Amino acid sequence: MHVRSNPILLSADWPDQGLPWVAEPRKFAPGLDSLLSWAYRLGASRIAFQTGHPVWLRVHGRNRRVTDESLDESDIARIANHLYGADGTARLQGGQDFDVSYEVVVDRTTRLRFRLNATPTRTSRRDGANIVLRPIPDLPPTPEEQLIEPGILAACRPRDGMVIVSGATGSGKSTLIAGMTVAKLQDPHGHFHIVEAAAPIEFLLDRIKSPSSTINQTEIPRDLPSFEGFIRGCMRREPTDIIVGECRDGPTMAAAVQAAISGHAVTTTTHANDVALTMQRMVSLLPSEERANLITAMAQSLRLVINQRLALSTDGKRTALREFLVFDAALRQRLLQSDPGDWPALTRRAVAEQGQSYRVAIARALEEGRISPQVAERERTEVGDVA
């Protein structure tokens, strides 16, 4: 059974307020599971628990308070220990955060999945914690449902090289990649062997009955300690496609570039506000002692960079706006002949000349009726298109 967002619930209150958050850690959490199930059906993108504050949801870009009472230290401690284990609270008190996934079992065939982060915080009265859960849909929307542009679909399956998806946290990067991955698995002529690592895995795709392809997924750090180690291990597994949940540090970026230049198709994400700044971000992540050699390898391996942001749509939800650039042989040669410090400016010109800029994406969304003129104007301002 697939649990869908229920518009009837949008103005309703959580019906089980007052249930104990956790009755028995790691076994039974009636209040927590009830709230998470209700928020999932509501279409929430974020459920936040913080010491000394009520619970808040974020639904289609808008914040909403859920509980009348604030959470005290014992509430947060029991929730943390239920989500992570007996040492969850001790970990937070020791100055460490944690990223894990969590499941709510609805019935024999339905499990609601969440990715979560718990972080120590300082409140006005005492030390505390912030626990944020983000619902993971059962399966990602299809490329058609995500309105993925034909230019992206034509370039997102390179035989080798790098596909980068960038954007802010919560902008749908993982959902975009998962939608494209499902399309690969469903292709009867694909014959892909896909390996993926994420922290945590959002969409469990081994349930898809592929006619010609396979997928193996690894959760960091539960299954392996690091993305770097995962990538290096992939080199001995003969994959066609390597998906790296996030290039967040130098060793991971270096390993991803080496894998791409070695004949693998590598798809990964990073945080940046547009395609040009994605180039700057990628270069900055390269380890300084290897940068000279890796710059050349990166320029040779780039195939596609997509930057995505979500805008308020006319149906009260959110719709994706995308800037993207396909790196053909001529553009890669221009990168090789340029100083890396000039890559952002070079890329910005290339986006305007041969890619899709945010200016074009916003104009199309407005023409299609997906966003209002007011939202279009706000998005133009956000991306710096004020001409």
Side-chain angles (χ1 to χ4, degrees), residues 91-92 98 124 141 156 163 172 221 232 234 327 345 362:
R91 186 179 180 91
L92 293 170
F98 57 83
S124 58
C156 70
V163 174
R232 299 199 187 284
C234 287
F327 288 75
I362 293 167

Side-chain angles (χ1 to χ4, degrees), residues 158-181:
R159 180 177 299 178
D160 54 29
M162 297 187 75
V163 174
I164 311 293
V165 179
S166 61
T169 299
S171 59
K173 301 183 294 296
S174 298
T175 300
L176 177 61
I177 291 173
M180 296 188 293
T181 302

Side-chain angles (χ1 to χ4, degrees), residues 181 184-185 192-196 213-216 239-241 243:
T181 302
K184 289 181 180 180
L185 291 171
F192 300 104
H193 174 39
I194 303 168
V195 291
E196 177 184 10
S213 299
T214 63
I215 185 167
N216 292 279
T240 60
D241 295 69
I243 302 173

Side-chain angles (χ1 to χ4, degrees), residues 362-382:
I362 293 167
R364 286 181 176 172
L366 180 61
E367 182 180 353
E368 293 166 0
R370 290 190 284 129
I371 60 175
S372 68
Q374 293 77 14
V375 169
E377 185 61 30
R378 183 164 63 247
E379 293 298 327
R380 291 190 190 102
T381 301
E382 288 286 336

